[in-house]
């Protein structure tokens, strides 16, 4: 695996590869890799000639400095995993490489309804930070395809919107959430759960699955109330939001008229670890 930390160097290498017709698959990450990331990598390897992974803990997408400080950093084991899976290129830039001092990055993209609720409401500035770094990474890597997990459902919607609005020539490939055998959605943050919390965590997906079986059978508001109450039956959980939204606009659904488009999304604290998950209700 080739490893780069400088923009000029990776650009030079990837240009030489795309010049000879190689299709580049890209998996942007913040490291602390798990099987969810590896599923994205495997998909990219199947569909492209060259797979590039980036590892960069993007400071400007953290609205909470404590969360940034606590974000797991496991570069040595990440590199080992990437080598084992056959990743071709790894890009690990430093913060100054991505955000040089005195750089003014003009980015005034509107996300309409997409960034107002859910994560956008509780993590102000988060999606702007994500969009800026993803745009920068796309400019550097110039991928043919880029792979994103559906676990970050709202992030995926924002990135698709940005790619469409700015006419960035990349195919965004959404990939199914990868779960532990007990249903817990894989996430880098899971490694911060205590042993006791880890046994409780899968209950969240069990409740999301129950929501799916009830969807369309009781009114939307009633179902949301039921879900929040059910999650709080376990006192270790604290729900930040639980919403049933339209998949395209991400606006809250008022009734089941457009139920084909309904997705339930939640953010829940378990101790000081914030879990997010979602489930498409009619697919
Ligand atoms: O999903 C993530 O890991 C990050 O938000 C991303 C897309 C790598 C941008 O920093």
């Amino acid at each position: 695996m080739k490893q780069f930390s400088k923009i000029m160097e990776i650009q030079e290498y990837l240009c030489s590869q795309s010049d000879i017709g190689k299709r580049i698959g890209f998996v942007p990450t913040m490291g602390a890799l798990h099987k969810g990331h590896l599923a994205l990598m495997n998909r990219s390897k199947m569909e492209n000639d060259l797979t590039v992974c980036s590892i960069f803990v993007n400071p400007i997408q953290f609205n909470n400095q404590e969360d940034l400080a606590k974000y797991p950093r496991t570069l040595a084991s990440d590199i080992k995993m990437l080598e084992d899976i056959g990743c071709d290129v790894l890009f690990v830039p430093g913060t100054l490489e991505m955000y040089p001092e005195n750089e003014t990055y003009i980015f005034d993209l509107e996300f309409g309804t997409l960034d107002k609720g859910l994560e956008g409401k509780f993590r102000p500035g988060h999606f702007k930070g994500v969009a800026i770094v993803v745009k920068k990474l796309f400019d550097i890597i110039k991928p043919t395809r880029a792979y994103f997990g559906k676990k970050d459902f709202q992030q995926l919607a924002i990135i698709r919107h940005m790619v469409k609005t700015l006419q960035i020539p990349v195919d965004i490939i959404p990939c199914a959430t990868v779960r532990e055998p007990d249903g817990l959605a894989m996430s880098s943050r899971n490694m911060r759960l205590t042993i006791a919390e880890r046994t409780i965590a899968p209950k969240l997906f069990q409740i999301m699955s129950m929501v799916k079986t009830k969807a369309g059978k009781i009114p939307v508001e009633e179902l949301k109330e039921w879900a929040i109450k059910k999650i709080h039956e376990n006192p270790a959980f604290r729900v930040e939001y639980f919403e049933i939204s339209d998949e395209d606009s991400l606006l809250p659904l008022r009734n089941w008229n457009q139920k084909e488009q309904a997705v339930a999304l939640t953010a829940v604290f378990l101790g000081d670890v914030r879990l997010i998950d979602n489930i498409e209700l009619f697919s």
Side-chain angles (χ1 to χ4, degrees):
M1 180 173 70
K2 288 188 179 297
Q3 193 176 321
F4 298 92
S5 59
K6 296 283 174 243
I7 294 174
M8 294 273 277
E9 288 168 15
I10 192 169
Q11 270 178 330
E12 197 181 320
Y13 175 69
L14 291 177
C15 276
S16 74
Q17 297 302 299
S18 48
D19 281 355
I20 55 169
K22 296 230 168 133
R23 291 160 306 173
I24 298 172
F26 179 41
V27 181
T29 82
M30 298 204 298
L33 301 182
H34 50 69
K35 286 188 193 144
H37 295 113
L38 298 188
L40 305 180
M41 304 283 308
N42 277 328
R43 176 98 187 258
S44 168
K45 278 164 58 66
M46 279 186 329
E47 296 177 351
N48 303 281
D49 304 304
L50 206 70
T51 290
V52 180
C53 173
S54 65
I55 296 182
F56 178 62
V57 182
N58 176 32
I60 67 164
Q61 73 184 70
F62 287 82
N63 54 309
N64 176 336
Q65 289 311 299
E66 216 179 294
D67 195 23
L68 170 62
K70 280 192 203 151
Y71 200 84
R73 287 156 173 90
T74 57
L75 188 59
S77 66
D78 290 348
I79 291 176
K80 167 98 181 57
M81 279 169 101
L82 291 171
E83 271 168 350
D84 289 349
I85 203 175
C87 174
D88 301 293
V89 178
L90 171 62
F91 181 46
V92 194
T95 306
L96 276 176
E97 187 69 9
M98 291 299 283
Y99 301 114
E101 267 166 22
N102 305 324
E103 180 206 48
T104 46
Y105 196 78
I106 299 160
F107 195 87
D108 210 8
L109 199 60
E110 257 300 311
F111 299 111
T113 54
L114 296 179
D115 66 338
K116 304 295 179 287
L118 309 165
E119 294 296 291
K121 179 168 169 198
F122 291 95
R123 303 179 69 188
H126 168 67
F127 287 120
K128 191 173 176 202
V130 170
I132 288 176
V133 81
V134 171
K135 168 77 169 68
K136 277 179 173 257
L137 289 166
F138 284 173
D139 287 346
I140 297 165
I141 311 289
K142 298 198 178 14
T144 317
R145 300 187 182 86
Y147 296 79
F148 292 88
K150 281 192 180 182
K151 168 159 179 290
D152 295 301
F153 199 89
Q154 194 172 11
Q155 167 172 283
L156 177 62
I158 298 269
I159 289 165
R160 284 172 134 169
H161 177 87
M162 175 180 80
V163 162
K164 196 169 162 206
T165 314
L166 301 181
Q167 298 178 308
I168 304 173
V170 56
D171 276 344
I172 301 298
I173 315 290
C175 301
T177 302
V178 180
R179 298 184 181 278
E180 301 285 358
D182 60 13
L184 176 65
M186 293 206 183
S187 163
S188 306
R189 288 186 163 86
N190 293 352
M191 57 178 81
R192 290 182 40 229
L193 293 169
T194 63
I195 294 169
E197 286 164 351
R198 178 62 189 80
T199 61
I200 298 168
K203 294 202 167 37
L204 184 60
F205 181 63
Q206 286 163 19
I207 297 169
M208 299 293 275
S209 304
M210 287 158 85
V211 166
K212 184 169 169 128
T213 65
K214 286 176 178 286
K217 296 182 185 138
I218 59 173
V220 176
E221 279 309 313
E222 212 176 291
L223 183 52
K224 287 195 310 197
E225 279 165 29
W226 178 86
I228 292 169
K229 211 164 143 213
K230 191 82 190 157
I231 299 170
H232 281 154
E233 274 177 13
N234 194 316
F237 283 134
R238 183 169 60 78
V239 177
E240 193 164 61
Y241 66 80
F242 181 94
E243 194 51 86
I244 295 177
S245 299
D246 175 81
E247 274 191 18
D248 287 340
S249 67
L250 294 184
L251 286 172
L253 216 69
R254 302 268 168 246
N255 52 54
W256 297 114
N257 289 351
Q258 281 136 4
K259 62 181 192 177
E260 300 74 28
Q261 295 271 91
V263 56
L265 307 108
T266 192
V268 174
F269 277 99
L270 182 52
D272 68 350
V273 181
R274 189 171 179 276
L275 304 174
I276 62 167
D277 205 348
N278 65 77
I279 190 163
E280 286 163 287
L281 295 178
F282 296 94
S283 60

